[in-house]
Amino acid sequence: MEHDLSPSALAELRRPRPYPAVSVLTPTHRRDPLSTEDAVRLRTMVAEAKKKLESDPAVPRDRRADVAAQLDRALAEVDLAHAEDGLAIFAAPGEHQVWSLARSVPERVVISDSFLTRHLVSAQTSERPFWVLSVAADRATLWSGGPDRIVEARTDDFPLIREEPNFDPERQMRAGDQPSNYRDEDTRRFLKEAATRLNSLMRAHPRPLYITGEPAALSLLCEFGGACKDAVQVPRGGLAHGTPEMVWQAVRPVLEEEDRRRAEEVARELESARSRKEFAAGVDELWQSAREGRIRLLAVEENYRITVRDDGEHLIVAEDGDLDAREDIVDEIVEQCLETGADVRFVPDGALGDAQGMAAVLRY
């Protein structure tokens, strides 16, 4: 299953496909991975997709068989033991992909000439993924972080391990000569290699970056410039050999402070927009403004969800399950704003007050 939606991966997903391109979306439950509910729901949704293919006169028999086989292969790749909050299966002639999402999605089967990607985009945006690089004189470990967790990210480049026959960083620490260790030429070369690999990662998969380690290690790492120069430093050693929980506890206060600062900044921008009459709120007004490309900044409370119906002129609040109800309108607005270059920021629930979950600063 895929997790990291890089710009290149999104561009590839968005390109047109030979008809039929099938998108299957289903919610999952990360906190109860042993439940059979998700497995049953997923099989049901895949069966529904096959049924739609069977009944579609525009799909030739050979393509129908090809895409049905791709759906079966995708289903076999799903690992519900590591499920998050949603799952997207994409299948088209000759290809399939499975994406795990850290945001719930509605149950949907869509057959078109492209994949339905907006839920991936909104999930990636709301999750605000980040990297943590933890460095020591003998190891550089990469961690992937989200709203409430950190996991080690094992790639072709990381972890980077210094393997020398007579190297003993623990002995050097006991001897009290650790600072001189970071002036050692071999250590400099090791950390330079870590910085070079990190630069390559950030070009391919840009995210906010945090680096942890002894102050001497961070100072040396930043001498090499690149991505490290703009990273947030967390001067704490031992995490290159640590656990995900240790890294999370070290980084969490920094993240919380940044979240608080961002929420205050958004509140100031919205208040200023009110005085300039460049403020918008309400799902109908925001949807219209998003489609016109007028939104410069969209603020969304973390768990805001609303179901609407389109009466032909306006969006009207509806109940889940109503005929023609659109349960994912917030995600649609988020993706539309991103498409037109708007800045989308997620803030804590209740932070927007009377704006009721979502508000915007307009370009004009």
Side-chain angles (χ1 to χ4, degrees), residues 82-243:
H82 296 91
E84 295 180 279
D85 299 313
L87 194 71
I89 289 178
F90 300 130
E95 65 170 318
H96 67 272
Q97 297 189 41
V98 180
W99 287 83
S100 179
L101 289 74
R103 191 177 178 94
S104 186
V105 297
E107 291 185 356
R108 294 192 70 181
V109 173
V110 177
I111 299 179
S112 182
D113 56 1
S114 62
F115 294 139
L116 183 65
T117 60
R118 67 169 172 263
H119 299 283
L120 271 74
V121 173
S122 63
Q124 185 82 350
T125 303
S126 64
E127 188 180 28
R128 290 173 293 169
F130 58 88
W131 297 117
V132 180
L133 183 71
S134 297
V135 294
D138 63 331
R139 184 180 177 96
T141 304
L142 181 69
W143 311 91
S144 176
D148 58 2
R149 74 195 189 288
I150 283 179
V151 297
E152 184 176 354
R154 289 186 169 266
T155 70
D156 292 340
D157 290 329
F158 293 101
L160 178 61
I161 301 171
R162 178 179 176 184
E163 296 179 354
E164 296 184 13
N166 298 317
F167 183 70
D168 184 358
E170 290 187 3
R171 181 199 62 77
Q172 292 181 332
M173 290 178 67
R174 288 194 301 271
D177 57 357
Q178 187 179 9
S180 64
N181 180 45
Y182 287 105
R183 291 194 295 268
D184 176 77
E185 190 58 35
D186 288 338
T187 302
R188 290 180 63 87
R189 279 195 294 268
F190 173 77
L191 291 181
K192 184 176 183 179
E193 175 65 19
T196 300
R197 295 187 180 197
L198 181 64
N199 290 340
S200 297
L201 172 84
M202 292 293 288
R203 283 193 295 270
H205 304 281
R207 297 182 184 181
L209 173 65
Y210 303 82
I211 54 175
T212 78
E214 297 288 342
L218 299 183
S219 176
L220 180 55
L221 194 67
C222 290
E223 283 185 21
F224 304 120
C228 295
K229 184 174 61 176
D230 299 321
V232 177
Q233 296 188 20
V234 182
R236 176 170 167 182
L239 299 180
H241 297 271
T243 65

Side-chain angles (χ1 to χ4, degrees), residues 8 10 23 29 80 107 126-127 138 198 213 225 233 263 279 281 284 296-297 326 337 349 360 362:
S8 59
L10 179 58
S23 303
H29 300 83
L80 290 175
E107 291 185 356
S126 64
E127 188 180 28
D138 63 331
L198 181 64
Q233 296 188 20
F279 176 86
D284 185 49
R296 178 175 65 81
L297 166 67
R326 295 164 71 173
C337 287
D349 292 344
L362 301 179

